[in-house]
Amino acid sequence: MIDEFTRRSRIAYFSMEIALRPEIHTYAGGLGILAGDTVRSCADLELPVVFVTLVSRMGYLRQEIDAGGRQVEHPDPWEPDRWARRLGAKVAVVIEGRDVWIQPWLYRHRGSLGYEIPVLLLDTVLDENAPEDRDICASLYGGDDAYRLSQEIVLGIGGYRLLRSLGFDIETYHMNEGHSALLAMELLHGHRRPNGGPADHAGFDPEMARQQCVFTTHTPVEAGHDRFPYDLVMRKLDGTLDIPALKALSGPDCLNMTRLALNLSGYVNGVAKRHAEISRRLFPGYRVHAITNGVHVETWTCDSFARLYQDHFPQWRHEPEALMLADGLDDGEVWKAHRQAKLAFLDRIAAETGTRLAPDVLTLGFGRRMTGYKRLDLLFSDLDRLRTLARGQPFQVVVSGKAHPRDEGGKRIIEAIHRCRDALGGDVPVVFLPNYDMDLARSLVSGPDVWLNTPLPPLEASGTSGMKAALNGVLNLGVLDGWWIEACIDGTTGWAIGDADLGTAGDDAEDLYRKLEADVLPLFYGDRPRWIWMMKQSISKIASQFNSQRMMRRYASEAYLR
Ligand SMILES: *Cc1c(COP(=O)(O)O)cnc(C)c1O
């Protein structure tokens, strides 16, 4: 069952989360969506990659909103045996002096051209494990530091050993974020020279790991980089890893997973040009390349636009460059496709919330992880201003997003949005759709007229939801940060809020209101042909470029083939 994959796979891609399909709850947000789009593009391009992640049986979180507008969190279990098959192989890692046995599930992703990509989902629910070790792979980003470190040991060290024991012959290990960096340490153990070397640590030669490892860093936000105190590391890993060597490679004060990955990778990249620049400043002394993220066009294009593209550019799914010619599409057909997506979206909103939004009113969409730097509250910072704006030129807002269970600031934002919704009443209709996930995202990025993005620069590493919106003819109105710096031609592919120059701290809220008032709303209500022209510019310039096919061709040629 696995043999065909062990024979051909040459690259192993490790990620704490991967969004494979809506029913498989092994993802939380953007990082997992990107990993999933990577799987899908590897299948389209027939790249010899095997993916490794945790089975996350209890998922990340299912979100409900209570009557007070507060997030209520539930486990979000899924059924591995419905979608994947258990493999017989087992490996053990010693954690806290106990053997922890790991057995994988195999999920086969089949691309629409028939090529299959293997995904190994690591599981520790096994009779031979101590009860406290059985749920290590249960809750994605759940628990405390000790729990997280156990997960990262299973992912990095366990995942590496499993590939070896299954007979994979891997040339390149790609670490999607630092969570899996212990794999590089384990790789070094494998390459340890028997008598030790002159200038290194007991025979460890980091250069060996660097030849094989690729590291993609995803966030300039401090909390995004895992750090573990060494007393915890000692407790978990003494006897499993060489702790002095680990300290030499990952920092003297704590185990910094980003630093470990940086020190053991021969190719390091950020996920947009600006993010690579920021990462170079954050980690001086390392060469950080830039490969801007992309999205999988077949996955994120809604049905009505997929039909339109299929009619005019039959190869668009596997050659998204073909969408470059979308600027020549017929206006009426483009508007009809958008109208269908919008009506389907408004129907869904009515079914889920009981609120029926008006189809002819400009609709702003916003779907994001609810956390401080994403600044959803920017739009709601002056409610009187919003009311005044909407009096002449009405608009409505649809919002969705989860807060991490320990992100109190993020949860307060969700409450604040609900208070604003109630305060605005019918003046500016606001709808919050609970439980933002892959399935909801597909409607949310295709149904509105405008996609809003207001992060605090430079903290949005890339962002991908705006790329999904562009595929569906939804115009971006966004702060110049991450990918949008590369894609925004103000007044053509969408609109810019603020300035790309980090030195000039402007008033982003004021700028957002001004853009809405002077550009976005008048164009929507006053010049429909020009609006449709912008939709077509946005599709042709963005979809042809910011897709995961282009992204994976670049990883293949620049990071994997070094
Ligand atoms: C695309 C997507 C994200 C990432 O969006 P950003 O723009 O990077 O914040 C997160 N969650 C879901 C469900 C998505 O579909």
Side-chain angles (χ1 to χ4, degrees):
M1 176 161 62
I2 187 82
D3 291 357
E4 55 180 304
F5 298 126
T6 53
R7 270 198 304 276
R8 74 177 182 214
S9 305
R10 291 290 170 269
I11 296 140
Y13 185 101
F14 280 63
S15 183
M16 189 81 150
E17 47 170 316
I18 306 184
L20 296 165
R21 50 184 302 142
E23 301 88 341
I24 298 184
H25 303 162
T26 49
Y27 69 97
L31 184 71
I33 299 281
L34 180 82
D37 282 356
T38 301
V39 173
R40 292 179 272 277
S41 285
C42 284
D44 293 343
L45 297 170
E46 307 198 352
L47 295 178
V49 185
V50 53
F51 288 75
V52 181
T53 190
L54 302 181
V55 71
S56 300
R57 283 166 177 268
M58 301 311 261
Y60 172 55
L61 75 89
R62 185 170 62 78
Q63 179 197 53
E64 248 181 4
I65 303 293
D66 73 8
R70 279 178 299 267
Q71 168 171 296
V72 183
E73 294 138 18
H74 303 280
D76 197 16
W78 68 286
E79 299 163 69
D81 47 4
R82 268 193 66 200
W83 301 102
R85 286 178 62 183
R86 238 185 214 291
L87 296 180
K90 282 181 206 174
V91 293
V93 270
V94 177
I95 303 180
E96 291 193 43
R98 294 187 301 274
D99 273 342
V100 175
W101 287 90
I102 302 162
Q103 193 172 33
W105 296 82
L106 173 66
Y107 173 80
R108 310 163 74 111
H109 169 79
R110 191 180 174 82
S112 54
L113 297 174
Y115 191 83
E116 287 195 310
I117 294 287
V119 183
L120 299 172
L121 307 158
L122 308 184
D123 199 357
T124 60
V125 178
L126 291 167
D127 290 340
E128 47 271 64
N129 283 335
E132 62 268 43
D133 296 330
R134 283 179 204 163
D135 66 356
I136 291 177
C137 303
S139 300
L140 181 58
Y141 304 131
D144 55 9
D145 268 9
Y147 183 72
R148 174 75 72 91
L149 182 55
S150 294
Q151 290 192 324
E152 298 189 5
I153 294 168
V154 167
L155 178 66
I157 303 178
Y160 176 85
R161 290 185 185 171
L162 196 68
L163 290 175
R164 296 284 291 242
S165 102
L166 287 168
F168 280 93
D169 183 10
I170 299 299
E171 288 158 13
T172 302
Y173 293 87
H174 187 165
M175 297 177 269
N176 188 42
E177 200 39 284
H179 307 122
S180 55
L182 290 172
L183 90 83
M185 217 37 225
E186 180 66 8
L187 189 64
L188 273 190
H189 276 254
H191 286 303
R192 193 174 189 160
R193 289 198 301 273
N195 303 317
D200 52 31
H201 309 277
F204 289 106
D205 179 5
E207 200 44 49
M208 293 302 302
R210 284 183 205 126
Q211 281 168 19
Q212 287 193 269
C213 292
V214 170
F215 171 47
T216 303
T217 174
H218 285 268
T219 174
V221 179
E222 198 55 27
H225 301 279
D226 277 337
R227 287 184 171 77
F228 300 104
Y230 277 120
D231 53 354
L232 175 66
V233 175
M234 285 293 288
R235 199 175 92 213
K236 294 270 174 193
L237 276 175
D238 197 21
T240 297
L241 286 184
D242 185 306
I243 304 291
L246 184 63
K247 281 191 178 175
L249 290 162
S250 66
D253 308 324
C254 61
L255 167 54
N256 180 329
M257 298 297 275
T258 299
R259 196 151 292 274
L260 182 62
L262 285 169
N263 280 328
L264 292 178
S265 298
Y267 183 96
V268 175
N269 75 289
V271 290
K273 293 193 177 86
R274 167 59 57 85
H275 176 233
E277 278 168 38
I278 298 295
S279 302
R280 281 178 213 125
R281 263 184 253 169
L282 212 59
F283 316 118
Y286 298 94
R287 181 147 184 233
V288 183
H289 301 260
I291 296 182
T292 303
N293 282 344
V295 297
H296 190 248
V297 296
E298 186 179 15
T299 302
W300 297 108
T301 303
C302 68
D303 297 342
S304 53
F305 272 97
R307 277 194 299 273
L308 181 62
Y309 299 156
Q310 191 65 34
D311 284 348
H312 294 275
F313 320 110
Q315 76 283 32
W316 69 283
R317 292 166 201 268
H318 306 108
E319 233 177 81
E321 297 89 333
L323 294 173
M324 196 182 81
L325 297 177
D327 55 0
L329 288 169
D330 174 73
D331 281 8
E333 285 189 78
V334 169
W335 190 251
K336 186 167 147 234
H338 172 60
R339 189 77 184 169
Q340 280 174 5
K342 187 171 184 179
L343 292 176
F345 181 52
L346 300 189
D347 282 347
R348 178 177 186 156
I349 293 172
E352 287 183 17
T353 68
T355 305
R356 188 154 273 288
L357 295 176
D360 294 321
V361 169
L362 181 127
T363 305
L364 289 171
F366 187 108
R368 290 260 144 43
R369 192 153 48 87
M370 290 294 163
T371 191
Y373 81 86
K374 301 258 186 187
R375 286 200 303 185
L376 173 53
D377 29 355
L378 203 72
L379 178 68
F380 298 111
S381 54
D382 184 346
L383 299 188
D384 283 336
R385 183 79 185 267
L386 275 185
R387 281 192 197 93
T388 314
L389 273 179
R391 211 161 287 144
Q393 313 178 92
F395 59 94
Q396 52 202 4
V397 187
V398 185
V399 179
S400 189
K402 297 172 181 174
H404 185 278
R406 286 197 308 274
D407 183 353
E408 294 306 324
K411 293 189 204 180
R412 279 196 298 275
I413 293 174
I414 294 175
E415 287 182 57
I417 293 166
H418 284 86
R419 278 197 304 275
C420 294
R421 178 195 67 184
D422 297 343
L424 287 164
D427 296 341
V428 181
V430 176
V431 172
F432 189 99
L433 292 171
N435 207 38
Y436 186 43
D437 65 3
M438 245 184 125
D439 172 56
L440 180 53
R442 215 163 161 262
S443 313
L444 195 61
V445 298
S446 58
D449 301 293
V450 172
W451 189 250
L452 182 67
N453 189 25
T454 51
L456 178 65
L459 299 183
E460 180 87 306
S462 168
T464 54
S465 55
M467 304 173 188
K468 302 173 197 163
L471 288 179
N472 294 295
V474 175
L475 294 176
N476 277 273
L477 168 60
V479 165
L480 286 172
D481 198 16
W483 80 287
W484 190 229
I485 297 176
E486 295 165 48
C488 177
I489 306 171
D490 193 53
T492 300
T493 56
W495 295 275
I497 301 168
D499 199 314
D501 184 352
L502 281 173
T504 56
D507 182 346
D508 287 345
E510 176 55 31
D511 215 35
L512 164 60
Y513 293 138
R514 229 182 6 233
K515 272 267 154 48
L516 274 175
E517 181 170 32
D519 295 337
V520 181
L521 290 160
L523 193 70
F524 184 79
Y525 289 111
D527 192 350
R528 192 56 47 85
R530 177 81 186 175
W531 183 278
I532 297 171
W533 176 82
M534 279 185 72
M535 290 171 72
K536 296 195 295 187
Q537 288 296 313
S538 158
I539 297 167
S540 69
K541 292 195 163 67
I542 294 174
S544 62
Q545 182 68 20
F546 294 87
N547 57 73
S548 49
Q549 242 88 338
R550 185 268 313 151
M551 173 182 83
M552 287 320 293
R553 287 200 184 97
R554 288 202 54 193
Y555 276 109
S557 62
E558 294 167 39
Y560 301 160
L561 291 176
R562 280 179 287 133

